[in-house]
Protein backbone atom coordinates (compact mmCIF):
# COMPACT_ATOMS: atom_id res chain seq x y z
CA UNK A 1 0.00 0.00 0.00
CA UNK A 2 2.85 2.39 0.83
CA UNK A 3 4.56 1.58 -2.47
CA UNK A 4 1.42 2.55 -4.37
CA UNK A 5 1.54 6.00 -2.82
CA UNK A 6 -1.70 5.97 -0.84
CA UNK A 7 -2.95 9.34 0.45
CA UNK A 8 -5.36 7.70 2.89
CA UNK A 9 -4.27 4.64 4.89
CA UNK A 10 -6.69 2.62 7.05
CA UNK A 11 -5.10 0.06 9.38
CA UNK A 12 -7.18 -2.49 11.30
CA UNK A 13 -5.26 -3.91 14.29
CA UNK A 14 -1.92 -3.50 12.46
CA UNK A 15 0.25 -4.50 15.42
CA UNK A 16 -1.54 -7.73 16.41
CA UNK A 17 1.32 -9.93 15.17
CA UNK A 18 4.24 -7.50 15.64
CA UNK A 19 6.91 -7.35 18.33
CA UNK A 20 7.30 -4.08 20.28
CA UNK A 21 10.35 -3.22 18.16
CA UNK A 22 8.47 -3.83 14.89
CA UNK A 23 5.52 -1.82 16.19
CA UNK A 24 7.71 1.19 16.88
CA UNK A 25 9.23 0.99 13.39
CA UNK A 26 5.73 0.92 11.90
CA UNK A 27 4.76 3.96 13.97
CA UNK A 28 7.82 5.84 12.71
CA UNK A 29 6.64 5.22 9.13
CA UNK A 30 3.15 6.40 10.06
CA UNK A 31 4.47 9.59 11.65
CA UNK A 32 6.51 10.34 8.52
CA UNK A 33 3.38 9.85 6.40
CA UNK A 34 1.46 12.24 8.63
CA UNK A 35 4.21 14.84 8.31
CA UNK A 36 3.94 14.44 4.51
CA UNK A 37 0.25 15.36 4.65
CA UNK A 38 -1.24 11.87 4.47
CA UNK A 39 -4.35 10.77 6.38
CA UNK A 40 -4.01 7.67 8.56
CA UNK A 41 -6.79 5.88 10.45
CA UNK A 42 -5.81 3.19 12.95
CA UNK A 43 -8.33 0.83 14.53
CA UNK A 44 -6.91 -0.76 17.68
CA UNK A 45 -7.85 -1.82 21.20
CA UNK A 46 -4.34 -1.16 22.55
CA UNK A 47 -4.78 2.20 24.24
CA UNK A 48 -1.08 2.81 24.83
CA UNK A 49 -0.60 2.65 21.05
CA UNK A 50 -3.45 5.11 20.52
CA UNK A 51 -1.76 7.56 22.88
CA UNK A 52 1.63 7.00 21.26
CA UNK A 53 0.84 7.49 17.58
CA UNK A 54 -2.45 9.38 17.14
CA UNK A 55 -3.39 13.06 17.10
CA UNK A 56 -7.12 12.56 17.64
CA UNK A 57 -9.18 9.65 18.95
CA UNK A 58 -12.74 8.74 17.96
CA UNK A 59 -14.57 6.49 20.43
CA UNK A 60 -17.18 3.87 19.50
CA UNK A 61 -19.40 2.11 22.04
CA UNK A 62 -21.63 -0.78 20.99
CA UNK A 63 -21.55 0.35 17.37
CA UNK A 64 -22.34 3.99 18.12
CA UNK A 65 -20.09 7.04 17.83
CA UNK A 66 -19.51 8.50 21.30
CA UNK A 67 -17.20 11.42 20.53
CA UNK A 68 -13.70 12.54 19.63
CA UNK A 69 -10.89 13.96 21.77
CA UNK A 70 -7.44 15.31 21.10
CA UNK A 71 -4.90 12.72 22.16
CA UNK A 72 -2.79 15.20 24.11
CA UNK A 73 -5.70 15.67 26.52
CA UNK A 74 -6.51 11.95 26.83
CA UNK A 75 -5.35 9.16 29.15
CA UNK A 76 -5.93 5.41 29.08
CA UNK A 77 -8.43 5.83 31.90
CA UNK A 78 -10.38 8.63 30.23
CA UNK A 79 -10.58 6.74 26.93
CA UNK A 80 -11.68 3.57 28.70
CA UNK A 81 -14.45 5.40 30.54
CA UNK A 82 -15.72 6.79 27.23
CA UNK A 83 -15.63 3.29 25.71
CA UNK A 84 -17.44 1.68 28.63
CA UNK A 85 -19.66 4.54 29.72
CA UNK A 86 -18.74 4.36 33.39
CA UNK A 87 -15.85 4.58 35.84
CA UNK A 88 -13.44 1.64 35.60
CA UNK A 89 -10.23 0.39 37.17
CA UNK A 90 -7.43 -0.64 34.82
CA UNK A 91 -5.59 -2.96 37.20
CA UNK A 92 -5.02 -6.61 36.35
CA UNK A 93 -4.83 -8.69 39.49
CA UNK A 94 -1.81 -10.97 39.92
CA UNK A 95 -1.91 -12.85 43.24
CA UNK A 96 1.19 -14.79 44.21
CA UNK A 97 1.08 -18.51 43.45
CA UNK A 98 0.05 -20.54 46.52
CA UNK A 99 1.96 -23.81 46.95
CA UNK A 100 2.68 -24.26 43.23
CA UNK A 101 3.21 -27.84 42.15
CA UNK A 102 4.04 -29.44 38.79
CA UNK A 103 0.83 -30.27 36.93
CA UNK A 104 1.83 -30.57 33.27
CA UNK A 105 5.31 -31.59 32.10
CA UNK A 106 6.18 -31.20 28.42
CA UNK A 107 9.47 -32.67 27.21
CA UNK A 108 11.03 -32.63 23.74
CA UNK A 109 7.68 -31.95 22.05
CA UNK A 110 7.98 -31.96 18.26
CA UNK A 111 5.16 -31.48 15.73
CA UNK A 112 5.22 -31.14 11.94
CA UNK A 113 2.77 -29.83 9.36
CA UNK A 114 1.52 -31.71 6.29
CA UNK A 115 4.62 -30.68 4.34
CA UNK A 116 6.88 -32.18 6.99
CA UNK A 117 8.11 -28.82 8.28
CA UNK A 118 8.50 -28.66 12.06
CA UNK A 119 5.95 -26.35 13.72
CA UNK A 120 7.32 -27.25 17.16
CA UNK A 121 10.86 -28.44 17.74
CA UNK A 122 12.06 -30.00 21.00
CA UNK A 123 9.82 -27.85 23.24
CA UNK A 124 10.18 -28.48 26.98
CA UNK A 125 8.60 -26.75 29.99
CA UNK A 126 6.60 -27.38 33.15
CA UNK A 127 3.27 -25.75 33.98
CA UNK A 128 2.53 -25.47 37.69
CA UNK A 129 -0.80 -25.64 39.44
CA UNK A 130 -1.64 -22.28 41.00
CA UNK A 131 0.18 -20.18 38.40
CA UNK A 132 -0.54 -18.53 35.06
CA UNK A 133 2.02 -19.45 32.42
CA UNK A 134 1.91 -16.93 29.59
CA UNK A 135 2.92 -17.96 26.07
CA UNK A 136 4.37 -15.20 23.89
CA UNK A 137 5.48 -15.27 20.28
CA UNK A 138 4.86 -13.81 16.86
CA UNK A 139 1.73 -15.28 15.29
CA UNK A 140 2.40 -18.65 13.69
CA UNK A 141 5.39 -19.59 15.86
CA UNK A 142 3.80 -22.75 17.23
CA UNK A 143 1.35 -21.46 19.84
CA UNK A 144 -1.65 -23.16 18.20
CA UNK A 145 0.17 -26.47 17.73
CA UNK A 146 1.43 -26.40 21.31
CA UNK A 147 -2.02 -26.19 22.88
CA UNK A 148 -3.63 -28.58 20.41
CA UNK A 149 -0.93 -31.22 20.95
CA UNK A 150 -1.52 -31.05 24.72
CA UNK A 151 -5.27 -31.37 24.13
CA UNK A 152 -4.78 -34.46 21.94
CA UNK A 153 -5.69 -32.72 18.69
CA UNK A 154 -2.21 -32.56 17.15
CA UNK A 155 0.09 -35.50 16.41
CA UNK A 156 3.27 -35.42 18.48
CA UNK A 157 6.29 -37.13 16.92
CA UNK A 158 8.14 -40.01 18.64
CA UNK A 159 10.33 -38.83 21.47
CA UNK A 160 7.78 -36.26 22.59
CA UNK A 161 6.32 -36.47 26.09
CA UNK A 162 3.34 -34.69 27.67
CA UNK A 163 2.76 -35.83 31.25
CA UNK A 164 -0.15 -34.89 33.49
CA UNK A 165 0.79 -35.06 37.17
CA UNK A 166 -2.04 -36.32 39.39
CA UNK A 167 -2.76 -35.14 42.92
CA UNK A 168 -0.93 -38.25 44.14
CA UNK A 169 2.16 -37.26 42.16
CA UNK A 170 1.80 -39.94 39.50
CA UNK A 171 2.57 -39.04 35.88
CA UNK A 172 0.03 -39.90 33.18
CA UNK A 173 1.38 -39.82 29.61
CA UNK A 174 -0.96 -38.01 27.18
CA UNK A 175 0.93 -38.35 23.89
CA UNK A 176 -0.95 -40.58 21.48
CA UNK A 177 -4.30 -40.17 23.23
CA UNK A 178 -7.41 -38.57 21.75
CA UNK A 179 -9.34 -35.87 23.66
CA UNK A 180 -11.96 -38.47 24.68
CA UNK A 181 -9.29 -40.91 25.88
CA UNK A 182 -7.67 -38.13 27.91
CA UNK A 183 -11.05 -37.34 29.44
CA UNK A 184 -11.80 -41.02 30.18
CA UNK A 185 -8.49 -41.27 32.05
CA UNK A 186 -9.84 -38.74 34.52
CA UNK A 187 -7.52 -35.95 33.35
CA UNK A 188 -9.35 -32.68 33.95
CA UNK A 189 -8.18 -30.64 30.94
CA UNK A 190 -10.08 -27.65 29.53
CA UNK A 191 -9.21 -25.84 26.30
CA UNK A 192 -10.45 -22.49 24.99
CA UNK A 193 -9.24 -22.53 21.35
CA UNK A 194 -8.45 -19.58 19.13
CA UNK A 195 -11.26 -20.50 16.73
CA UNK A 196 -14.29 -19.88 18.95
CA UNK A 197 -17.07 -20.84 16.56
CA UNK A 198 -15.14 -23.27 14.38
CA UNK A 199 -13.58 -25.43 17.09
CA UNK A 200 -14.91 -24.28 20.46
CA UNK A 201 -18.65 -23.92 19.86
CA UNK A 202 -21.24 -24.87 17.24
CA UNK A 203 -22.59 -21.59 15.93
CA UNK A 204 -25.98 -22.95 14.86
CA UNK A 205 -26.76 -24.27 18.35
CA UNK A 206 -27.87 -22.38 21.45
CA UNK A 207 -26.09 -22.06 24.78
CA UNK A 208 -27.70 -25.13 26.35
CA UNK A 209 -26.85 -27.35 23.39
CA UNK A 210 -23.26 -26.12 23.41
CA UNK A 211 -23.02 -27.09 27.08
CA UNK A 212 -24.04 -30.63 26.06
CA UNK A 213 -20.96 -30.95 23.85
CA UNK A 214 -18.99 -31.73 27.02
CA UNK A 215 -21.55 -33.99 28.70
CA UNK A 216 -23.64 -35.86 26.13
CA UNK A 217 -21.43 -38.96 26.20
CA UNK A 218 -21.75 -39.41 29.97
CA UNK A 219 -25.47 -40.15 29.97
CA UNK A 220 -26.75 -43.50 31.24
CA UNK A 221 -29.75 -43.79 28.88
CA UNK A 222 -30.19 -43.60 25.09
CA UNK A 223 -31.75 -40.17 25.57
CA UNK A 224 -29.74 -36.96 25.83
CA UNK A 225 -29.80 -35.38 29.29
CA UNK A 226 -30.88 -31.76 28.87
CA UNK A 227 -31.68 -30.60 32.39
CA UNK A 228 -28.13 -30.18 33.71
CA UNK A 229 -26.72 -28.49 30.54
CA UNK A 230 -29.67 -26.08 30.52
CA UNK A 231 -29.11 -25.22 34.18
CA UNK A 232 -25.39 -24.68 33.49
CA UNK A 233 -26.19 -22.43 30.51
CA UNK A 234 -28.55 -20.37 32.69
CA UNK A 235 -25.90 -20.07 35.39
CA UNK A 236 -23.25 -18.91 32.92
CA UNK A 237 -25.69 -16.44 31.35
CA UNK A 238 -26.42 -14.91 34.75
CA UNK A 239 -22.95 -14.93 36.33
CA UNK A 240 -21.04 -13.79 33.23
CA UNK A 241 -23.80 -11.42 32.06
CA UNK A 242 -24.13 -13.02 28.64
CA UNK A 243 -26.37 -10.87 26.44
CA UNK A 244 -28.69 -13.20 24.48
CA UNK A 245 -32.45 -13.25 23.83
CA UNK A 246 -32.68 -16.75 25.32
CA UNK A 247 -30.70 -19.96 25.79
CA UNK A 248 -31.93 -21.35 22.46
CA UNK A 249 -30.61 -18.46 20.34
CA UNK A 250 -27.76 -19.69 18.07
CA UNK A 251 -24.48 -18.51 19.56
CA UNK A 252 -23.37 -17.34 16.10
CA UNK A 253 -25.83 -14.46 16.51
CA UNK A 254 -24.12 -13.24 19.69
CA UNK A 255 -21.34 -10.66 19.80
CA UNK A 256 -17.73 -11.83 20.02
CA UNK A 257 -17.54 -10.97 23.69
CA UNK A 258 -20.66 -12.96 24.55
CA UNK A 259 -19.48 -15.94 22.48
CA UNK A 260 -16.23 -15.93 24.44
CA UNK A 261 -18.09 -15.75 27.76
CA UNK A 262 -20.09 -18.84 26.78
CA UNK A 263 -16.95 -20.75 25.78
CA UNK A 264 -14.83 -19.76 28.79
CA UNK A 265 -17.74 -20.34 31.17
CA UNK A 266 -18.32 -23.85 29.82
CA UNK A 267 -14.66 -24.83 30.09
CA UNK A 268 -14.28 -23.46 33.63
CA UNK A 269 -17.46 -25.27 34.70
CA UNK A 270 -15.56 -28.53 34.09
CA UNK A 271 -13.46 -27.79 37.22
CA UNK A 272 -10.21 -28.35 35.30
CA UNK A 273 -6.78 -29.06 36.70
CA UNK A 274 -5.28 -27.52 33.55
CA UNK A 275 -6.95 -24.64 31.68
CA UNK A 276 -5.51 -23.59 28.32
CA UNK A 277 -6.66 -20.44 26.52
CA UNK A 278 -5.64 -19.13 23.10
CA UNK A 279 -6.12 -15.39 22.52
CA UNK A 280 -8.96 -15.33 25.04
CA UNK A 281 -9.55 -11.57 24.77
CA UNK A 282 -8.83 -10.96 21.08
CA UNK A 283 -11.32 -8.45 19.71
CA UNK A 284 -13.20 -8.12 23.01
CA UNK A 285 -14.30 -4.89 24.68
CA UNK A 286 -12.33 -3.84 27.75
CA UNK A 287 -15.07 -4.81 30.22
CA UNK A 288 -15.26 -8.38 28.91
CA UNK A 289 -11.46 -8.59 28.76
CA UNK A 290 -11.11 -7.72 32.43
CA UNK A 291 -13.84 -10.21 33.28
CA UNK A 292 -11.82 -12.92 31.51
CA UNK A 293 -8.65 -11.91 33.41
CA UNK A 294 -10.61 -12.16 36.66
CA UNK A 295 -11.92 -15.62 35.77
CA UNK A 296 -8.41 -16.86 34.97
CA UNK A 297 -7.10 -15.53 38.28
CA UNK A 298 -9.94 -17.23 40.14
CA UNK A 299 -8.88 -20.53 38.57
CA UNK A 300 -5.28 -19.84 39.54
CA UNK A 301 -6.32 -19.30 43.17
CA UNK A 302 -8.02 -22.71 43.09
CA UNK A 303 -4.73 -24.37 42.16
CA UNK A 304 -5.42 -24.73 38.43
CA UNK A 305 -2.48 -24.62 36.02
CA UNK A 306 -3.49 -21.85 33.60
CA UNK A 307 -1.75 -21.57 30.23
CA UNK A 308 -2.52 -18.24 28.57
CA UNK A 309 -1.52 -17.58 24.95
CA UNK A 310 -1.77 -13.84 24.26
CA UNK A 311 -0.66 -11.23 21.77
CA UNK A 312 -0.74 -8.14 24.02
CA UNK A 313 2.59 -8.07 25.83
CA UNK A 314 1.34 -5.53 28.38
CA UNK A 315 -1.36 -7.99 29.45
CA UNK A 316 1.06 -10.93 29.46
CA UNK A 317 3.47 -9.03 31.68
CA UNK A 318 0.70 -7.93 34.06
CA UNK A 319 -1.14 -11.27 34.26
CA UNK A 320 1.48 -14.03 34.01
CA UNK A 321 3.68 -15.47 36.72
CA UNK A 322 6.07 -16.81 34.10
CA UNK A 323 6.27 -16.16 30.36
CA UNK A 324 7.43 -18.80 27.89
CA UNK A 325 8.56 -17.26 24.60
CA UNK A 326 8.35 -19.18 21.33
CA UNK A 327 10.36 -18.30 18.25
CA UNK A 328 10.11 -20.40 15.11
CA UNK A 329 8.60 -23.31 17.02
CA UNK A 330 11.38 -23.37 19.63
CA UNK A 331 11.54 -22.14 23.21
CA UNK A 332 13.75 -19.05 23.17
CA UNK A 333 13.36 -18.34 26.88
CA UNK A 334 11.23 -18.47 30.02
CA UNK A 335 11.01 -15.22 32.01
CA UNK A 336 9.65 -14.15 35.37
CA UNK A 337 6.48 -12.18 34.61
CA UNK A 338 7.11 -9.81 37.52
CA UNK A 339 10.56 -8.70 36.40
CA UNK A 340 10.49 -9.12 32.60
CA UNK A 341 10.16 -6.15 30.25
CA UNK A 342 8.46 -5.78 26.88
CA UNK A 343 11.86 -5.26 25.29
CA UNK A 344 13.18 -8.56 26.69
CA UNK A 345 10.15 -10.48 25.51
CA UNK A 346 10.25 -8.76 22.11
CA UNK A 347 13.89 -9.72 21.58
CA UNK A 348 13.25 -13.34 22.52
CA UNK A 349 10.32 -13.46 20.07
CA UNK A 350 12.80 -12.95 17.24
CA UNK A 351 15.79 -14.94 18.54
CA UNK A 352 16.89 -18.53 18.22
CA UNK A 353 16.83 -20.82 21.25
CA UNK A 354 20.59 -20.59 21.77
CA UNK A 355 20.59 -16.79 21.63
CA UNK A 356 17.55 -16.60 23.89
CA UNK A 357 19.17 -18.67 26.64
CA UNK A 358 21.97 -16.14 26.94
CA UNK A 359 19.42 -13.47 27.93
CA UNK A 360 17.19 -15.69 30.06
CA UNK A 361 17.84 -15.96 33.79
CA UNK A 362 15.16 -18.56 34.53
CA UNK A 363 14.77 -21.76 32.54
CA UNK A 364 12.28 -24.50 33.29
Amino acid sequence: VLYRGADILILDEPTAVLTPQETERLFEVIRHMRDDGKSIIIITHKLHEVLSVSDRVAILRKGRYVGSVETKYATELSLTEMMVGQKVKLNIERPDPVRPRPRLMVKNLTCKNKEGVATLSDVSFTAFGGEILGIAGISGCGQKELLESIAGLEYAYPGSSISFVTDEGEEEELVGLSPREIRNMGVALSFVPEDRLGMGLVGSMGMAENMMLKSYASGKTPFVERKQPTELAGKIKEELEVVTPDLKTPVSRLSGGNVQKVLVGREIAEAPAVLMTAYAVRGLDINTSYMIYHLLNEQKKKGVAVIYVGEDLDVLLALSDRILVLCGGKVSGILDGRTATKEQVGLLMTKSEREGKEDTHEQS
Side-chain angles (χ1 to χ4, degrees):
V1 173
L2 297 178
Y3 176 78
R4 293 173 61 186
D7 292 319
I8 301 175
L9 186 63
I10 303 176
L11 304 172
D12 187 3
E13 302 285 358
T15 64
V17 296
L18 301 183
T19 66
Q21 291 85 348
E22 291 170 331
T23 296
E24 187 51 43
R25 288 200 293 272
L26 172 64
F27 286 175
E28 288 177 5
V29 173
I30 290 174
R31 293 186 185 104
H32 285 309
M33 291 184 65
R34 175 199 61 191
D35 295 341
D36 287 340
K38 312 295 185 183
S39 296
I40 302 100
I41 300 172
I42 297 180
I43 302 167
T44 180
H45 66 276
K46 300 179 182 180
L47 297 184
H48 64 278
E49 294 182 356
V50 172
L51 297 173
S52 170
V53 75
S54 70
D55 299 295
R56 290 187 301 122
V57 188
I59 306 295
L60 298 178
R61 185 195 313 145
K62 295 182 178 180
R64 295 181 179 274
Y65 171 72
V66 176
S68 298
V69 295
E70 291 188 48
T71 306
K72 62 183 178 182
Y73 299 124
T75 64
E76 285 196 26
L77 187 59
S78 68
L79 293 177
T80 301
E81 289 174 357
M82 290 181 69
M83 292 165 60
V84 176
Q86 61 187 21
K87 296 284 185 180
V88 294
K89 293 182 179 179
L90 294 178
N91 295 319
I92 298 177
E93 181 186 11
R94 180 166 52 192
D96 291 330
V98 179
R99 297 184 299 277
R101 51 174 295 174
R103 182 58 84 180
L104 191 72
M105 301 171 63
V106 177
K107 298 178 182 177
N108 310 119
L109 177 60
T110 298
C111 298
K112 297 181 181 180
N113 60 21
K114 295 179 180 179
E115 288 72 36
V117 178
T119 53
L120 290 174
S121 180
D122 204 28
V123 170
S124 300
F125 67 91
T126 299
F128 292 85
E131 77 160 5
I132 295 179
L133 175 65
I135 309 292
I138 298 172
S139 180
C141 279
Q143 301 94 317
K144 176 176 179 289
E145 291 79 8
L146 174 61
L147 298 194
E148 291 187 1
S149 60
I150 295 172
L153 299 168
E154 181 84 15
Y155 175 74
Y157 272 68
S160 303
S161 174
I162 303 172
S163 299
F164 175 82
V165 183
T166 66
D167 292 336
E168 293 74 30
E170 299 178 358
E171 296 183 17
E172 302 280 1
E173 182 60 49
L174 304 185
V175 169
L177 301 180
S178 68
R180 176 170 290 185
E181 290 171 333
I182 292 173
R183 184 184 180 88
N184 291 340
M185 284 178 60
V187 175
L189 180 68
S190 288
F191 179 29
V192 179
E194 177 181 1
D195 188 357
R196 299 164 190 169
L197 289 176
M199 181 182 292
L201 302 171
V202 177
S204 60
M205 298 195 311
M207 284 185 62
E209 292 170 309
N210 272 288
M211 297 304 114
M212 281 192 283
L213 294 177
K214 301 284 283 192
S215 63
Y216 74 93
S218 60
K220 300 188 182 339
T221 71
F223 302 99
V224 176
E225 170 59 45
R226 292 181 177 273
K227 181 179 178 182
Q228 187 175 356
T230 301
E231 290 176 351
L232 175 59
K235 181 180 179 182
I236 291 174
K237 178 180 183 296
E238 180 180 351
E239 293 185 357
L240 301 188
E241 301 175 359
V242 177
V243 179
T244 179
D246 55 55
L247 300 181
K248 295 181 180 180
T249 300
V251 294
S252 61
R253 297 182 185 176
L254 308 185
S255 69
N258 287 300
V259 169
Q260 190 71 330
K261 288 178 184 178
V262 173
L263 180 53
V264 172
R266 186 192 69 190
E267 295 303 307
I268 288 178
E270 292 289 300
V274 178
L275 173 62
M276 303 187 297
T277 68
Y279 307 107
V281 299
R282 175 183 282 172
L284 303 189
D285 64 87
I286 198 160
N287 258 1
T288 304
S289 297
Y290 275 78
M291 177 181 288
I292 299 296
Y293 303 148
H294 174 72
L295 291 174
L296 297 182
N297 271 313
E298 287 300 305
Q299 293 301 298
K300 169 185 170 180
K301 293 175 184 177
K302 293 177 181 179
V304 176
V306 180
I307 300 178
Y308 176 87
V309 174
E311 59 195 5
D312 190 326
L313 294 188
D314 291 291
V315 172
L316 276 169
L317 290 168
L319 183 69
S320 306
D321 297 292
R322 292 183 300 139
I323 299 174
L324 181 149
V325 187
L326 288 175
C327 177
K330 297 181 179 180
V331 176
S332 58
I334 300 178
L335 302 171
D336 186 330
R338 289 168 172 77
T339 59
T341 65
K342 287 175 63 176
E343 289 70 27
Q344 285 178 309
V345 177
L347 285 173
L348 288 173
M349 287 167 66
T350 56
K351 282 191 174 184
S352 68
E353 185 176 20
R354 180 176 298 177
E355 291 172 322
K357 287 181 178 178
E358 296 175 358
D359 295 327
T360 305
H361 302 295
E362 179 190 349
Q363 291 290 330
S364 176

